[in-house]
Amino acid sequence: MGHESVEDYQWPPVATAQEMKDAKLPLAYRDRCASLLIPLNKCRHEFYYLPWKCIDERHAYEKCEYMEFQARVNALKKQKAAAARAAAEADAAAALSS
């Protein structure tokens, strides 16, 4: 069983700032996955945080957060590779001019 890549992941629709404010989400949780956290928190409150309830909602939210993390890791790798290429080009240009 293979893992889903960040490019293939179907991101949930983005929650609006007003929806996040109405749900009283802390600023730290207002990201691309907030639209999944809002119904998860409603479910948690409805069932008094029972661990065997809201499993599907929790799984969807945690998967979204993991994919968000993977996207940030991939972006950082690309940024570091571009910086390394630029440094190598600068070193090559400096060697040629010497």
Side-chain angles (χ1 to χ4, degrees), residues 6 13-15 22 24 32 36 39 43 47-48 50 54-55 57 62 64-66 68-69 75 77 87 91 96:
V6 174
V14 178
D22 293 343
K24 298 179 182 173
R32 281 200 275 190
L36 297 174
C43 181
F47 291 106
Y48 302 102
L50 292 173
C54 313
I55 293 171
E57 292 90 345
E62 288 175 350
C64 182
E65 284 294 320
Y66 176 73
E68 176 74 22
F69 169 74
K77 283 181 184 177
D91 288 345
L96 287 176

Side-chain angles (χ1 to χ4, degrees), residues 38-75:
I38 293 169
L40 172 59
N41 283 345
K42 286 180 184 176
C43 181
R44 286 173 168 169
H45 288 290
E46 181 181 340
F47 291 106
Y48 302 102
Y49 284 80
L50 292 173
W52 57 88
K53 298 290 184 176
C54 313
I55 293 171
D56 293 336
E57 292 90 345
R58 191 184 79 213
H59 176 72
Y61 175 70
E62 288 175 350
K63 182 173 183 174
C64 182
E65 284 294 320
Y66 176 73
M67 289 300 189
E68 176 74 22
F69 169 74
Q70 288 296 324
R72 288 194 309 269
V73 167
N74 290 345

Side-chain angles (χ1 to χ4, degrees), residues 87-98:
E89 289 172 3
D91 288 345
L96 287 176
S97 66
S98 299

Side-chain angles (χ1 to χ4, degrees), residues 15-34:
T16 64
Q18 188 61 44
E19 288 172 334
M20 291 184 270
K21 182 179 176 185
D22 293 343
K24 298 179 182 173
L25 287 183
L27 292 177
Y29 294 95
R30 296 183 185 192
D31 58 7
R32 281 200 275 190
C33 302

